[in-house]
Amino acid sequence: MASIIDKNVPRIAVGAFYNQENCDITSSVTSAKETGHDFIILPITHSNYKRFLFDQVDNNMQINDDIIDNDKQCMEEWRKGNPFLKDDLIIKDNEHTDYLVGKISEWINLDSSNHRVRTNSEIALKQQLSWVSHLGLSAILAPTPTNSFVNYARSLNTILGSLTYTHIWMRIPLINEDTSCSNEIEMWERWNKFRTFCENHSKLSIALELPADLPDEVILERWFAEPIKAVIFPTKIFLTNAKGYPVLSRKHQAFVKKLMKYKPNFVIFDDMTNKHPKVGFAVYQEYIRYLNRTMPELDQIEQFGNGYQDFLQSPLQPLMENLESSTYEIFEKDPVKYALYEKAVYHALLDRVAPESNEITVIMVVGAGRGPLVTRSLQAAEKAKRNVKIYAIEKNPNAFVTLQNMKAKVWGDKVTIVFGDMRKLKSPDKADILVSELLGSFGDNELSPECLDGAQKFLKSDGISIPSSYSTFISPLSSSKIHNEVSSYKDLTHFETPYVVMLQSVAILAKPKEIWKFEHPNRLVVRDNEGNPINNYHNTRYSKVTFDVKFGGILHGIAGYFESVLYKDIIMSILPETHSDGMFSWFPIFFPLKTPIYLPSNSTIDIHFWRLSNSQKVWYEWCVDTSFGSSIIQNVGGRSSWIGL
Amino acid sequence: MASIIDKNVPRIAVGAFYNQENCDITSSVTSAKETGHDFIILPITHSNYKRFLFDQVDNNMQINDDIIDNDKQCMEEWRKGNPFLKDDLIIKDNEHTDYLVGKISEWINLDSSNHRVRTNSEIALKQQLSWVSHLGLSAILAPTPTNSFVNYARSLNTILGSLTYTHIWMRIPLINEDTSCSNEIEMWERWNKFRTFCENHSKLSIALELPADLPDEVILERWFAEPIKAVIFPTKIFLTNAKGYPVLSRKHQAFVKKLMKYKPNFVIFDDMTNKHPKVGFAVYQEYIRYLNRTMPELDQIEQFGNGYQDFLQSPLQPLMENLESSTYEIFEKDPVKYALYEKAVYHALLDRVAPESNEITVIMVVGAGRGPLVTRSLQAAEKAKRNVKIYAIEKNPNAFVTLQNMKAKVWGDKVTIVFGDMRKLKSPDKADILVSELLGSFGDNELSPECLDGAQKFLKSDGISIPSSYSTFISPLSSSKIHNEVSSYKDLTHFETPYVVMLQSVAILAKPKEIWKFEHPNRLVVRDNEGNPINNYHNTRYSKVTFDVKFGGILHGIAGYFESVLYKDIIMSILPETHSDGMFSWFPIFFPLKTPIYLPSNSTIDIHFWRLSNSQKVWYEWCVDTSFGSSIIQNVGGRSSWIGL
C-alpha cells in the first residue's frame, strides 16, 4: 500500500470504510476501486467468529460464569492456539494486500470484568493481529478505547513490539459523542493515557474521526501534536450544497486543510445515514481531493522551511566557529530582515544629523560577514542624503576575503574594512552608529551581549546601537514527536541541549511571555582600563514566569523566541504574535524537558530560566515547577550545552 | 570525623551547635569537647563577611540599585574571585577538621529579586563551600530553603557535583513555625521540590530540626523515606523533669528512637532560651545518649534482617534453579512458620479422622526440600494420635540426599521419599492431605499455583491442601533510597524487576489492599487425560485497586505481601497488619516504577496489576494511573523479569 504511506506523492490517499461486519472481499474491493478510493478498511474476520468469546449470558443479561463442560473443553482447546478456519476470515489471503487496511473486531472486550471474556478477547486480538501482520498489511484499525481500557492497552502493548511492517491506527473520535456531559478534551485524555501506557510506541497512531460539530480552535490545536495517520469522515458530517452535493462546513474545511499539511490518509466512512441519497459514494472522496487541490500556495517561510518541519538543528556558534559561505548565502536571501535594518539606519541618520549638514556620520558594522549590512547602510545613507563613513569589522578570515572584493568592486572609499574580533580590537575611530546582526533564535544565544560589550568602546558616548534592545520570550510546548526525536539519542546531553526547529507537530500550551531583555549601549557596566567589562556577571539573567494552561496536555519542553527593537519603532520579531512578515532567518528554539510533565486543564506552571556565564562560556539552565511535581534543573553548570566565549 | 559517619560504632554521635555568627574557634571547640560532644557546628566566616553582599538599602529599606562607583569597582574586583582574608574566617585551617561541621552564612540571599544581591550571594556560597571542601570537612550545614528557593537550588546544584568528600546537611525544620497557617507537610514538600530540582543528588541530605510539638504519626512517617543525616534538637523543645533536668516528651522519645535505627548524627542546638538554667549544656547530649542506651533489644526479625535493611535481593526461582543447602538452612530456622504448619496438619488430622480410628491418613509433602515439613507432619500426627503414611516428593537432587539420610536416621518406615517434579510424576498413591511450602513474598511468585495444579492429581477428591489459599496484597510506596538503588543500574531491566527487600527507609502511602487469591484444590480446571491442565489461563489474574493517599508523596513503586490460610483459621501472613509474630522467612517484595509520580495530598490512584503466563513462563506487569499522569505498563510481555515454568 505504498500509495498510502509515501509522503512524496502530492496526490492524497483517500480510502473507503463501509459500516459492515460481514462482506464479500472481492465485491467490496471492486466497489471501492470503482468509486475512486485508494484503499479500503475491511474487518479481518466474519462476525460469527465472536462465538469464541464464549460470553454466554444468563436471564439477567449478565455473563454467566458457568458454561457447560462441553463448551469449556472446546474453549480450552481453542485457547491452545488453533489456526483460523478459512471461512471465519474476510481477509483470507494476499490477493489485495496492498489495497487493504484490516479492522479488528468491535466485539472484542478486553476490559470485561469476566475473566473468561477478557482472556478470550486477548487471544482473539492476538490472533487477528498476527494474521494481518503475517499478510503484510500496512495498517490495522483498532477499536476506540472505552471508558476503562487499561487491559486493552496492556494487550495491545504486548503485540506492538512484534509488529514489523504493520501500523496500528487507533480509532479516536475527536469528541466523545456517547456522553451527555460533553467534555471536549476527554477523548484526547483517553488517547494520551493509552499511549503513555504503551510507552509512546511509534507503531501506535491515531485515526481521528471528525464529528459534525467541531470544538474551539484551541481544542483542535492539541491534535496537531499527535501522530495522526488517518482522518475519518463519517458521511453524516457532510452538509448538502444547493445542488444536493456533500460539502464540509468552513470550520471543517479549515481544520482539514491544516491536517493535510501532515499528509495523513483520509477515510470516508459510510455510516449508513444516507444523507445525500441522490449522489454516489464516489463524491465524498472527490470532494476531499478537491480540498487538497485548492490548498493555498506555501508562503515564503513555508517554502523555505519545507522539509525542515520538526527537524532538530543545533544552534549556530558563530563566535567559536567561522560560518561557511553557503550559510551566509542563505541568510542574506532573507527579503525582510535587511529591509528592516536599512529602515533603522535610515531613521537613525535622519534623527542624528540635520538635513543639508556636511557632517560625516561614522557607522560601524560589527560582525559584517560578507557585507549585506554595509550595502544596506550605504543605501540608507543615500536615501537619507547623509554623508557617512562606514567601518566593516569581521573576524572570520574567509568572509573577510569577500569584504575585500566588495570594497574593491562595489563600495569604494566610503567603506573601511577591519579584520579582527570586535571584543579585542583597538578602536580605529569612534562611531555614531553601531550596527550588528548577532541575534540567535533566543535573542542573546549567539552572545550578542558579550560581543556588543566589547564593541561598545568604539561608540561615542551619545552613539546609537542598532539593535537597541532585544527581549527573549518562552512558551510551554507539547510535542510528542519532537520529544521522541530527542529521546532517540538515548542520552542526557541531548535532553539538555536547545534546538532550532521549525515547529509543526506541536501544541503551544500558553502564550509566550518575556523572560529578559538586553539593551545597548550599556553604560552601567564597570570597565577596565582597556574599556572592557571586568567580568560578565552583568550579562547573567534569572527569570521566573508563570503560565496558566487552560487545556491539559503533556509538557515536553519550552519554545523560545526573540523580539528586537532595531531603532525606535522598527521591530524585528520571530514571536508568533508580532512576527515580521515573510522573514525566514530564524526558526524558534526548543529546550526539551528530560521527563515530560502532565498538566491537567486549568493548571498553573512556573518556568525558571537562567542565563549563566563563567570566563569561558555562556549557558542556559531551566526547570519547571508545578503544584503536582517539578522537573530537575536542566543543564547544571552547562554540563550538556554551552556557547563558547 | 570518622566517629560521625561510621555506622558500625554503636555509640551515637552527638554534636554541639551554638547560636552564634561570630566566635573563637579554639574556645568553642574546647567547650564542646568538655561538655562531651563528638563534633561542633561552626560558621565558616565571621558575620562581617556580609559586606560583600553590597546590599545597601535606601531610606525605605529597599535594596538600592545605585551603589557608589567606588563600591562598584571594589565589588567587581571581588567578583573576579579573590581568596578569603584570614581574618574573615572562623574556620581558618585544618587544625580541627575532624571535629567540625561548617555552617554556611545565614545572610546569603540567593532568591533576592535584586540581581546584585543574588549574584554576590552565589559567589559567597561557592567560596564558602569550596573552602570547607578544600579543608576536607565531612559535612556542611546549609540554610533552610525559604518560600522561594529555586535559585538557591540551582546554585547549590552546580556545586554538588564538585564535592568529593563533603556532604551537605540541609537544615529542614520538621514543621514551618514561621507561618500562622500550619500546613504540616509544607516543609516536606519544600524539601521534596528542592531535591527534585537537584536530581536527588546523593550528597544532599537532611538535618531535621525537631519542633516542640510533633505532628501526627502519619506525618512523621514520611520522613523515614528521606535521607536524614542529622537530627537537630533545639534546647527549647526539652521539657523539665522533677529534678530540673531536660527530658523529651514520650512522643518525641518514640520518634527519636525510631530515628536512631537510621543512625543519623544528633545535634544539640543551644537556642539561647536558657530553659534549664540550673544544668550545664552537657546534660542534653547525655540525655540523648541515655535514650540510645535504653533502645529496646532487636526483635527476632530485626536481628535476622540486620544489615539487610533496604537491600535489594532478587526473588528465589526454586523451580528453575535448585536451592543451595545454606538457603534451606536459613529458612528452616524460622521459629514460627513450621509451628504454624504443624498446627495446620494437626487440626486437619483431627477433623479428617475420628479418634481411635485405625485408618491411615496419607500426607504428601510436595517440594519437601530437606524435610522440615515431613518432621512437623510426623509430630502433628503423634500429637493428634492419628496413623499416617507420609510421602516426601522433591525434585532437587541435592536436597534429596538429605531426605534419604533423614529417612534412614530419623523418620523410618512411615515416610516414603520420591524423587521427581510434582508436575510430571505419576501418582504413587492418593493423598488425604497435600502439604506444600511454595509461597514467595508475593504469594504466587514462586509458581505455587502451577506446581499445585500438577500435584493436585495425587489428591483424593475430598482431600485437603495445606495451604488452602493465599492472597496477594499491594501498597503504594515512597522511598527515594530504594529507587536510587534501582536507578544506579542505569537500565530498564532493573526497573522492571521485583525485589525482595526488608523495607526500612520507606513511607507506605496507603494501607495494603488485596489484588487476587489462589485456592487449592482447584476443581474447576479442565484437565487432559494425564490430569494436567490444558493451558495456564486459569492462573492469570488482572486486578485494579484504588488507593486514597491522604498525605502527598512521591510514588516510587509498589510493595507486595501475601496472607495465606494454611487451614481454616490458621493464618500465615507477612502483611503488616496481620504479620505472623516473629516469622522471618519473607521480606516484602518491591516493584519499582521507572518514573516516580508525585502525588498531591488527598489524591486517588489506581494501580493495575497482572499475572500473565505463556507455556514457558509466568510474569507480572504493572502500571499506575492517576488523574495527573500515568506510568507506562511495566515489564511488557515479561521482557525484563519472569519466572520460568
Side-chain angles (χ1 to χ4, degrees):
Chain A
M1 197 163 52
S3 61
I4 301 184
I5 57 164
D6 186 346
K7 292 194 176 175
N8 294 323
V9 178
R11 181 184 151 90
I12 55 171
V14 187
F17 178 18
Y18 303 108
N19 189 9
Q20 53 196 4
E21 282 295 306
N22 291 304
C23 64
D24 174 69
I25 187 164
T26 313
S27 63
S28 295
V29 166
T30 307
S31 150
K33 284 185 174 171
E34 280 172 4
T35 48
H37 294 88
D38 300 309
F39 62 94
I40 186 170
I41 299 179
L42 283 183
I44 298 162
T45 65
H46 281 289
S47 61
N48 68 357
Y49 201 68
K50 181 168 189 285
R51 67 188 184 280
F52 287 112
L53 271 196
F54 294 92
D55 59 342
Q56 284 89 331
V57 293
D58 63 16
N59 294 337
N60 301 320
M61 298 303 288
Q62 297 294 309
I63 291 169
N64 201 328
D65 239 349
D66 301 317
I67 63 174
I68 53 172
D69 282 355
N70 196 20
D71 276 358
K72 229 176 183 173
Q73 189 74 36
C74 161
M75 178 177 84
E76 297 300 349
E77 289 298 331
W78 173 76
R79 284 176 166 186
K80 280 164 69 181
N82 286 315
F84 280 115
L85 296 175
K86 73 178 179 31
D87 288 347
D88 283 327
L89 288 164
I90 290 177
I91 302 179
K92 281 187 177 36
D93 52 36
N94 266 323
E95 197 183 342
H96 305 286
T97 302
D98 288 352
Y99 198 75
L100 297 178
V101 168
K103 177 168 153 284
I104 291 167
S105 300
E106 302 271 359
W107 46 256
I108 279 176
N109 184 357
L110 288 150
D111 285 275
S112 167
S113 58
N114 183 281
H115 181 274
R116 186 173 74 242
V117 171
R118 215 166 55 223
T119 304
N120 297 342
S121 292
E122 185 172 351
I123 294 168
L125 175 79
K126 280 190 184 159
Q127 206 182 12
Q128 296 191 4
L129 280 169
S130 146
W131 172 240
V132 288
S133 169
H134 166 78
L135 290 181
L137 264 58
S138 66
I140 298 168
L141 189 69
T144 307
T146 56
N147 201 25
S148 87
F149 56 78
V150 187
N151 194 49
Y152 175 19
R154 206 261 317 145
S155 308
L156 200 59
N157 194 26
T158 306
I159 300 161
L160 285 169
S162 65
L163 298 175
T164 48
Y165 181 63
T166 310
H167 267 79
I168 305 286
W169 295 356
M170 179 157 281
R171 189 174 180 177
I172 304 284
L174 196 148
I175 284 181
N176 184 3
E177 288 176 327
D178 291 348
T179 58
S180 49
C181 84
S182 130
N183 175 352
E184 288 179 323
I185 66 161
E186 193 218 320
M187 284 313 301
W188 179 83
E189 286 182 338
R190 209 180 277 184
W191 154 253
N192 180 50
K193 278 200 176 172
F194 200 109
R195 59 99 175 268
T196 303
F197 287 135
C198 296
E199 298 178 79
N200 296 306
H201 201 287
S202 61
K203 293 279 183 190
L204 180 64
S205 39
I206 295 179
L208 187 67
E209 186 161 348
L210 303 186
D213 293 312
L214 285 178
D216 279 356
E217 204 159 331
V218 58
I219 307 273
L220 293 176
E221 173 90 0
R222 87 180 40 245
W223 292 101
F224 294 119
E226 301 301 335
I228 296 175
K229 282 267 191 245
V231 179
I232 301 176
F233 299 86
T235 50
K236 70 174 178 202
I237 73 164
F238 287 85
L239 309 174
T240 312
N241 71 6
K243 293 181 186 163
Y245 275 78
V247 291
L248 288 172
S249 77
R250 274 170 191 247
K251 198 167 178 184
H252 279 82
Q253 288 180 40
F255 184 53
V256 170
K257 285 185 174 182
K258 262 193 166 174
L259 284 170
M260 279 174 173
K261 291 188 182 170
Y262 299 80
K263 304 187 177 67
N265 299 285
F266 294 92
V267 177
I268 309 295
F269 173 50
D270 184 358
D271 55 22
M272 315 294 264
T273 49
N274 199 20
K275 215 177 148 189
H276 310 90
K278 292 177 188 163
V279 302
F281 190 57
V283 297
Y284 301 99
Q285 62 86 2
E286 283 162 6
Y287 178 74
I288 300 298
R289 293 190 203 280
Y290 158 79
L291 286 185
N292 185 48
R293 283 197 307 275
T294 57
M295 288 273 283
E297 290 276 305
L298 297 182
D299 66 27
Q300 270 174 314
I301 300 177
E302 285 171 329
Q303 273 179 36
F304 177 73
N306 205 6
Y308 282 94
Q309 290 93 342
D310 301 327
F311 178 78
L312 305 180
Q313 295 175 274
S314 290
L316 295 174
Q317 288 241 9
L319 251 192
M320 278 172 63
E321 292 156 19
N322 287 319
L323 299 186
E324 290 173 11
S325 193
S326 64
T327 311
Y328 287 116
E329 182 96 26
I330 290 167
F331 288 114
E332 286 168 14
K333 283 191 178 141
D334 193 310
V336 176
K337 176 177 158 189
Y338 292 106
L340 287 170
Y341 267 98
E342 183 179 325
K343 197 173 163 194
V345 175
Y346 169 76
H347 283 282
L349 284 171
L350 289 190
D351 289 350
R352 190 150 181 98
V353 187
E356 317 293 330
S357 158
N358 281 331
E359 206 180 310
I360 292 180
T361 306
V362 176
I363 298 178
M364 278 192 196
V365 177
V366 287
R370 306 199 314 175
L373 283 180
V374 176
T375 304
R376 292 298 191 144
S377 296
L378 285 169
Q379 286 171 13
E382 196 161 328
K383 204 166 152 201
K385 294 177 184 148
R386 297 295 190 273
N387 293 320
V388 295
K389 174 171 189 187
I390 299 186
Y391 287 90
I393 300 175
E394 177 53 46
K395 63 125 183 109
N396 178 349
N398 307 313
F400 198 73
V401 174
T402 310
L403 289 182
Q404 293 176 57
N405 288 334
M406 288 295 286
K407 178 174 163 63
K409 292 186 187 156
V410 186
W411 301 330
D413 284 348
K414 279 190 178 165
V415 176
T416 306
I417 57 176
V418 182
F419 178 68
D421 187 321
M422 69 181 92
R423 293 169 298 172
K424 292 162 203 157
L425 270 183
K426 294 283 172 199
S427 177
D429 202 344
K430 282 279 186 183
D432 295 281
I433 303 173
L434 199 64
V435 187
S436 64
E437 49 165 334
L438 304 166
L439 300 183
S441 300
F442 208 48
D444 53 86
N445 65 309
E446 294 180 11
L447 305 192
S448 176
E450 287 74 12
C451 293
L452 293 183
D453 267 348
Q456 191 176 312
K457 55 182 177 285
F458 313 145
L459 192 63
K460 291 180 182 166
S461 62
D462 66 343
I464 295 166
S465 168
I466 295 176
S468 73
S469 74
Y470 34 90
S471 303
T472 298
F473 290 75
I474 58 168
S475 252
L477 178 147
S478 181
S479 174
S480 45
K481 186 174 174 195
I482 294 177
H483 197 268
N484 281 349
E485 292 282 325
V486 180
S487 298
S488 67
Y489 291 103
K490 294 180 194 295
D491 63 24
L492 179 68
T493 304
H494 282 84
F495 275 122
E496 297 195 329
T497 301
Y499 302 91
V500 169
V501 194
M502 186 187 186
L503 301 173
Q504 180 174 276
S505 301
V506 306
I508 298 292
L509 300 175
K511 284 193 178 166
K513 289 191 174 177
E514 181 174 337
I515 52 170
W516 57 62
K517 187 175 183 174
F518 286 88
E519 291 178 295
H520 297 283
N522 180 355
R523 307 276 179 209
L524 294 171
V525 184
V526 179
R527 288 165 181 274
D528 61 17
N529 297 336
E530 314 265 276
N532 290 316
I534 293 180
N535 57 50
N536 201 28
Y537 285 110
H538 61 287
N539 286 328
T540 61
R541 294 286 186 278
Y542 166 44
S543 184
K544 175 186 108 169
V545 274
T546 302
F547 294 94
D548 293 318
V549 175
K550 194 164 173 209
F551 297 102
I554 305 282
L555 181 67
H556 290 106
I558 300 154
Y561 315 92
F562 78 86
E563 186 179 76
S564 170
V565 176
L566 289 182
Y567 181 70
K568 291 189 172 168
D569 60 347
I570 300 157
I571 308 288
M572 181 171 76
S573 168
I574 65 161
L575 199 62
E577 289 209 336
T578 61
H579 200 292
S580 306
D581 258 359
M583 184 174 71
F584 63 66
S585 288
W586 295 274
F587 294 145
I589 199 164
F590 172 71
F591 290 84
L593 278 192
K594 189 182 155 209
T595 305
I597 297 180
Y598 174 75
L599 304 177
S601 291
N602 298 312
S603 53
T604 297
I605 59 168
D606 289 340
I607 300 183
H608 297 258
F609 234 101
W610 292 266
R611 184 185 202 266
L612 298 165
S613 172
N614 61 22
S615 55
Q616 289 94 38
K617 63 184 187 181
V618 170
W619 70 96
Y620 301 100
E621 299 188 25
W622 59 98
C623 74
V624 176
D625 185 16
T626 76
S627 55
F628 32 84
S630 38
S631 73
I632 62 167
I633 295 172
Q634 299 212 182
N635 195 32
V636 47
R639 66 179 170 194
S640 297
S641 63
W642 44 274
I643 313 122
L645 275 166
Chain B
M1 197 163 51
S3 61
I4 301 183
I5 57 163
D6 186 344
K7 292 193 176 174
N8 293 323
V9 179
R11 179 184 153 90
I12 54 171
V14 187
F17 178 17
Y18 302 108
N19 190 10
Q20 54 196 6
E21 282 296 307
N22 293 305
C23 65
D24 174 68
I25 186 165
T26 313
S27 63
S28 294
V29 167
T30 307
S31 150
K33 283 186 174 170
E34 279 172 4
T35 47
H37 293 89
D38 301 309
F39 61 94
I40 185 169
I41 299 180
L42 284 182
I44 298 162
T45 65
H46 281 291
S47 60
N48 68 356
Y49 201 69
K50 183 167 188 284
R51 68 187 184 280
F52 287 112
L53 270 196
F54 295 91
D55 58 344
Q56 285 89 331
V57 292
D58 64 17
N59 294 336
N60 301 320
M61 297 304 287
Q62 297 293 309
I63 292 169
N64 201 328
D65 239 349
D66 302 316
I67 62 174
I68 54 171
D69 282 354
N70 195 21
D71 276 358
K72 232 178 184 171
Q73 190 75 36
C74 162
M75 178 176 84
E76 297 301 348
E77 288 299 332
W78 173 75
R79 282 177 168 187
K80 279 163 71 182
N82 286 314
F84 280 115
L85 297 176
K86 72 178 182 30
D87 287 346
D88 283 327
L89 288 165
I90 290 176
I91 302 179
K92 280 187 179 34
D93 52 36
N94 266 323
E95 196 183 341
H96 306 286
T97 302
D98 286 352
Y99 197 73
L100 297 177
V101 167
K103 176 167 153 287
I104 292 168
S105 299
E106 301 272 359
W107 46 257
I108 279 176
N109 184 358
L110 288 150
D111 285 273
S112 167
S113 58
N114 183 281
H115 181 274
R116 187 173 74 244
V117 171
R118 215 166 54 222
T119 302
N120 296 342
S121 292
E122 185 172 351
I123 294 168
L125 175 79
K126 279 190 185 160
Q127 207 182 11
Q128 297 192 4
L129 280 170
S130 148
W131 170 242
V132 289
S133 170
H134 166 77
L135 291 182
L137 263 60
S138 66
I140 298 170
L141 189 69
T144 306
T146 55
N147 201 25
S148 86
F149 57 79
V150 186
N151 194 49
Y152 175 19
R154 205 261 317 144
S155 308
L156 200 59
N157 194 26
T158 306
I159 301 161
L160 285 170
S162 65
L163 299 175
T164 48
Y165 181 62
T166 310
H167 266 79
I168 305 286
W169 295 357
M170 178 157 281
R171 188 173 179 177
I172 304 284
L174 196 147
I175 284 180
N176 183 3
E177 288 175 327
D178 291 348
T179 59
S180 50
C181 86
S182 130
N183 175 352
E184 288 179 324
I185 66 161
E186 193 218 321
M187 285 312 301
W188 179 84
E189 286 181 339
R190 208 179 277 185
W191 155 253
N192 180 49
K193 278 200 177 173
F194 200 105
R195 59 98 175 267
T196 303
F197 287 135
C198 296
E199 297 177 79
N200 296 307
H201 201 287
S202 60
K203 293 278 183 192
L204 180 64
S205 40
I206 296 178
L208 188 67
E209 185 161 350
L210 303 187
D213 292 312
L214 285 177
D216 278 355
E217 203 160 331
V218 58
I219 307 273
L220 293 176
E221 173 89 0
R222 85 179 43 244
W223 292 100
F224 295 117
E226 302 301 335
I228 296 174
K229 283 267 191 242
V231 179
I232 301 177
F233 299 86
T235 49
K236 72 173 178 202
I237 72 164
F238 287 84
L239 309 175
T240 312
N241 71 6
K243 295 179 186 163
Y245 276 79
V247 291
L248 289 172
S249 77
R250 276 174 190 244
K251 200 168 177 183
H252 279 81
Q253 288 180 41
F255 184 53
V256 170
K257 285 186 173 181
K258 262 192 164 175
L259 284 169
M260 280 174 172
K261 289 188 182 172
Y262 299 81
K263 303 187 178 66
N265 299 286
F266 294 90
V267 177
I268 309 296
F269 173 51
D270 184 359
D271 54 24
M272 317 292 264
T273 49
N274 199 20
K275 215 175 147 188
H276 310 91
K278 293 179 187 160
V279 302
F281 191 58
V283 297
Y284 300 99
Q285 63 86 0
E286 282 162 7
Y287 177 74
I288 300 299
R289 293 190 203 279
Y290 159 77
L291 286 185
N292 184 51
R293 282 197 308 275
T294 56
M295 288 272 284
E297 291 274 308
L298 296 181
D299 65 27
Q300 272 174 313
I301 299 176
E302 285 172 328
Q303 274 180 33
F304 176 74
N306 206 5
Y308 282 95
Q309 290 94 340
D310 300 326
F311 178 79
L312 305 180
Q313 296 174 273
S314 290
L316 295 174
Q317 288 241 9
L319 250 192
M320 277 170 67
E321 292 155 19
N322 288 319
L323 299 185
E324 290 173 12
S325 193
S326 63
T327 311
Y328 287 115
E329 182 96 26
I330 291 166
F331 288 113
E332 285 169 15
K333 283 192 178 142
D334 193 309
V336 176
K337 177 178 156 190
Y338 292 107
L340 287 170
Y341 267 98
E342 183 179 326
K343 196 171 163 196
V345 174
Y346 169 76
H347 282 282
L349 284 171
L350 288 190
D351 288 353
R352 190 153 179 96
V353 187
E356 318 293 331
S357 158
N358 280 330
E359 206 179 311
I360 292 178
T361 306
V362 176
I363 298 177
M364 280 190 193
V365 177
V366 288
R370 307 198 313 174
L373 284 180
V374 176
T375 304
R376 293 297 192 143
S377 297
L378 284 168
Q379 285 171 14
E382 196 161 328
K383 204 166 150 201
K385 296 179 182 143
R386 297 297 190 272
N387 293 320
V388 295
K389 174 171 190 187
I390 298 184
Y391 289 90
I393 301 175
E394 177 53 47
K395 62 123 184 116
N396 178 348
N398 308 314
F400 198 74
V401 174
T402 311
L403 289 182
Q404 293 175 58
N405 287 334
M406 288 296 285
K407 178 175 163 63
K409 293 186 187 158
V410 186
W411 301 330
D413 284 347
K414 278 188 179 168
V415 176
T416 307
I417 58 177
V418 182
F419 178 68
D421 186 322
M422 70 181 90
R423 293 170 298 173
K424 291 162 202 157
L425 270 184
K426 294 284 172 193
S427 176
D429 203 344
K430 283 280 184 180
D432 294 279
I433 303 172
L434 198 62
V435 188
S436 65
E437 48 165 336
L438 304 166
L439 300 182
S441 299
F442 209 47
D444 52 86
N445 65 310
E446 294 180 9
L447 306 191
S448 175
E450 286 74 12
C451 292
L452 293 182
D453 267 348
Q456 192 176 311
K457 56 182 176 285
F458 313 146
L459 191 64
K460 290 180 183 167
S461 62
D462 67 343
I464 295 166
S465 168
I466 295 175
S468 73
S469 74
Y470 35 91
S471 303
T472 298
F473 291 74
I474 59 169
S475 251
L477 178 147
S478 182
S479 174
S480 44
K481 185 172 176 197
I482 294 177
H483 198 267
N484 281 349
E485 292 282 326
V486 180
S487 298
S488 67
Y489 291 102
K490 295 180 192 296
D491 63 23
L492 179 67
T493 305
H494 282 84
F495 275 123
E496 298 195 328
T497 301
Y499 302 91
V500 169
V501 194
M502 186 185 183
L503 302 173
Q504 181 174 275
S505 301
V506 305
I508 298 292
L509 300 175
K511 284 192 177 167
K513 288 191 174 178
E514 181 173 339
I515 52 170
W516 57 62
K517 188 174 184 176
F518 285 88
E519 291 179 294
H520 297 283
N522 179 355
R523 306 278 178 208
L524 293 171
V525 185
V526 179
R527 288 165 180 274
D528 62 16
N529 297 335
E530 314 266 275
N532 290 317
I534 293 179
N535 58 49
N536 201 28
Y537 285 109
H538 60 285
N539 286 328
T540 61
R541 294 286 187 278
Y542 167 44
S543 183
K544 175 186 108 169
V545 275
T546 302
F547 293 94
D548 294 319
V549 175
K550 195 165 171 208
F551 298 102
I554 305 282
L555 181 66
H556 290 106
I558 300 155
Y561 315 91
F562 79 85
E563 186 179 78
S564 170
V565 175
L566 291 181
Y567 181 71
K568 291 188 172 167
D569 60 348
I570 301 157
I571 309 288
M572 180 170 77
S573 168
I574 66 161
L575 199 62
E577 290 210 335
T578 61
H579 200 291
S580 307
D581 258 0
M583 185 174 71
F584 64 66
S585 289
W586 295 274
F587 293 144
I589 199 163
F590 172 72
F591 290 84
L593 278 192
K594 189 181 155 211
T595 305
I597 297 180
Y598 174 75
L599 304 176
S601 292
N602 298 312
S603 53
T604 297
I605 58 167
D606 290 339
I607 300 182
H608 296 258
F609 234 101
W610 292 266
R611 183 185 203 266
L612 298 164
S613 171
N614 62 21
S615 55
Q616 288 94 39
K617 63 186 187 180
V618 170
W619 69 95
Y620 301 99
E621 298 187 26
W622 59 99
C623 74
V624 176
D625 185 16
T626 76
S627 55
F628 31 84
S630 38
S631 73
I632 61 166
I633 296 172
Q634 299 212 181
N635 196 31
V636 48
R639 65 180 170 194
S640 297
S641 62
W642 44 273
I643 314 121
L645 275 166

